[in-house]
Each structure stands twice: as structure tokens, then as C-alpha cells.
Amino acid sequence: IQLKTQRMRLIRNTFALLPMVLLMANAPSPLSGNKLTISKIIVDASKAKASVAVDCYAEWNLTVAGLSKQVFDNAVKGYNYLLEKKLLKNTQILTIVDYSKPSSQKRLFVIDMSNGQVLFNTLVAHGRNSGYDYATDFSNKESSHKTSLGFFVTQNTYNGGNGYSLKLQGCEKGINDKALERAIVVHGADYVTERFAQNNGYLGRSHGCPALPEKISKKIIDIIKNGSCLFLYHPTKKYTAVSKILNSKA
């Protein structure tokens, strides 16, 4: 009789617990719920990151500085490409030169990529054989005295014939990879002034170097040196159609 009573209690307890067991079976586990939440956060973060990349031009108000969105977008694409290849050490700085503008306009932009601040917006020369006020012809050949387009990584500084200067490593084969051999460097020059442009209709021209105003060249060089991205842009299809960086899927 005692055994029979125990069996009956067990059966009653089992039936009493059955609804709770079924409810737990149909409910997601705490771990599963956490995974879904984390996954959603990751997806949302990814979308947010993409949104920031798209909106930073407007958010940073770069149009006021005179930098076009197309040039900026191309520069950021190359910046990200070099970043992924681990070629940049100074990742905070992106320098852009828009050679579609005349030399009499301020066409160099040094941007702090952490907050979008334009640290410098100033004049910059192009090669003497690339054109007068506008640069229209470009080359990677030694002694051409022409500007090379594309993406560069800044190197170390030195004092040479043009004073305090910054070496450049060209990153695009056949387009600017002869920069070191050609001694294409960033340096100051007395012919890069607004007065020179007003008196002559265009800036003085270099042997292919992106020469800067002497008064601020050292400040700019010290900010962009040692592994930052420099982008020399022009919309010519001779560059845009063949650049592996601009045409990459990155």
C-alpha cells in the first residue's frame, strides 16, 4: 500500500510539472537570447559604421573648405586600402591635393581623420611640365619635371637643396612608383605664394614636387611625415581608369 501511494504521488507531481516543462521548452534560453542581441548589435554597429563613412563628408562640412565630395570619396577609398594593407603608420592624417583646381587656388587639404578637422588648406605647386595654371599632363618618368598622381605614403624627413623636405613612397606601379628615384618630395618654395600667383597668373612650378609655401611647409611636413596617406588627384582617365587602388573592390 505504501509503495502504491508513493507511485501515485510521483505521477501527480509529474503532471503538475508538465506545463512548466512545456513552457520552458518553447521559450528561448538566456544564452540564445544573448546571442541574438549581440548579433543584432553587431549588425547595427556595422550599419552605423557604413553610415559614418558615407556621412562624414557632410558631417565634417568639407564642402565649406572647398573640397569636393568625389575627391574626398576617392581619397578615403585609397586611405582605407592602404590601411588594410598595413602600409600606414600615421593613420590620423589624410592629405589631399586636388590638381583639377588652378594653382592660384588653395588645393591642398590636410585632414585629421579622428574628427574631420581641416588642419591646413593652402597653396601647392605642380610640375613645370604639367601645365601652367592648371596641371593637365602627368608622368612617372625621371627628368620629366611632371607631377605624378595617385596615392603615396609619406616617409622620413631630411635637409637638402630645397631645405627641410619629406620623402614620398609611391604606391601605384607605373603611375608614381618612381617617386623616390625621381626625388619627388614635399618641400617649401618661395614661388608658392599668393603674390606670385597674382603677379604671374599662376604659381611657380616645381620639378614635379608638391611644393608648399615656405612659411608653413615645416609645420605641414611635421604633421604628415612618417607613414601618412597623401593623395594627388586629377580626374584624367589616364589615371582614374588604370588605378588599381581606385578600381579596387575595397
Side-chain angles (χ1 to χ4, degrees), residues 10 22 25 34 39 58 135 139 155-156 159 174 181 185 209 215 233:
L10 180 60
L22 291 173
N34 286 341
S39 177
S139 177
Q155 304 293 303
N156 59 295
N159 283 289
E181 295 177 28
V185 300
C209 299
K215 291 183 179 179
Y233 170 83

Side-chain angles (χ1 to χ4, degrees), residues 107-138:
R107 51 186 180 173
L108 179 138
F109 306 82
V110 180
I111 302 172
D112 185 333
M113 294 298 282
S114 68
N115 56 23
Q117 183 181 356
V118 178
L119 304 176
F120 292 95
N121 176 209
T122 190
L123 300 170
V124 58
H126 56 254
R128 63 188 301 173
N129 288 337
S130 284
Y132 286 90
D133 193 20
Y134 285 89
T136 56
D137 198 8
F138 308 93

Side-chain angles (χ1 to χ4, degrees), residues 28-156:
S29 70
L31 181 59
S32 175
N34 286 341
K35 283 185 178 178
L36 290 173
T37 302
I38 291 170
S39 177
K40 186 175 187 301
I41 290 172
I42 290 172
V43 171
D44 290 348
S46 177
K47 289 180 179 178
K49 184 177 180 181
S51 177
V52 168
V54 171
D55 295 338
C56 60
Y57 176 82
E59 185 178 327
W60 294 347
N61 206 20
L62 295 176
T63 185
V64 171
L67 179 61
S68 83
K69 188 175 187 302
Q70 180 183 358
V71 177
F72 177 73
D73 287 348
N74 285 338
V76 170
K77 183 172 186 178
Y79 169 87
N80 286 331
Y81 179 93
L82 298 178
L83 202 60
E84 289 177 4
K85 298 291 184 182
K86 302 186 185 304
L87 294 175
L88 301 179
K89 294 180 181 178
N90 184 356
T91 59
Q92 187 172 343
I93 299 298
L94 171 61
T95 304
I96 304 170
V97 176
D98 183 0
Y99 278 131
S100 69
K101 294 176 176 287
S103 65
S104 53
Q105 290 187 15
K106 295 179 179 180
R107 51 186 180 173
L108 179 138
F109 306 82
V110 180
I111 302 172
D112 185 333
M113 294 298 282
S114 68
N115 56 23
Q117 183 181 356
V118 178
L119 304 176
F120 292 95
N121 176 209
T122 190
L123 300 170
V124 58
H126 56 254
R128 63 188 301 173
N129 288 337
S130 284
Y132 286 90
D133 193 20
Y134 285 89
T136 56
D137 198 8
F138 308 93
S139 177
N140 191 38
K141 294 181 179 179
E142 196 167 351
S143 300
S144 66
H145 293 171
K146 295 179 182 179
T147 293
S148 294
L149 298 176
F151 290 92
F152 301 77
V153 175
T154 63
Q155 304 293 303
N156 59 295

Side-chain angles (χ1 to χ4, degrees), residues 13-35:
N13 290 340
T14 300
F15 278 104
L17 291 171
L18 184 59
M20 188 178 295
V21 172
L22 291 173
L23 182 62
M24 291 176 65
N26 290 322
S29 70
L31 181 59
S32 175
N34 286 341
K35 283 185 178 178

Side-chain angles (χ1 to χ4, degrees), residues 95-99 107-108 122-128 146-150 152 154 162 164-168 179 182-189 191-192 203-213 217 220-221 224 230-233:
T95 304
I96 304 170
V97 176
D98 183 0
Y99 278 131
R107 51 186 180 173
L108 179 138
T122 190
L123 300 170
V124 58
H126 56 254
R128 63 188 301 173
K146 295 179 182 179
T147 293
S148 294
L149 298 176
F152 301 77
T154 63
N162 290 305
Y164 191 60
S165 304
L166 175 64
K167 294 181 181 179
L168 302 174
R182 295 178 60 204
I184 300 301
V185 300
V186 179
H187 64 81
Y191 51 76
V192 185
L203 281 187
R205 294 160 297 155
S206 67
H207 284 182
C209 299
L212 305 175
S217 61
I220 294 176
I221 287 172
I224 72 174
L230 167 65
F231 179 46
L232 306 187
Y233 170 83

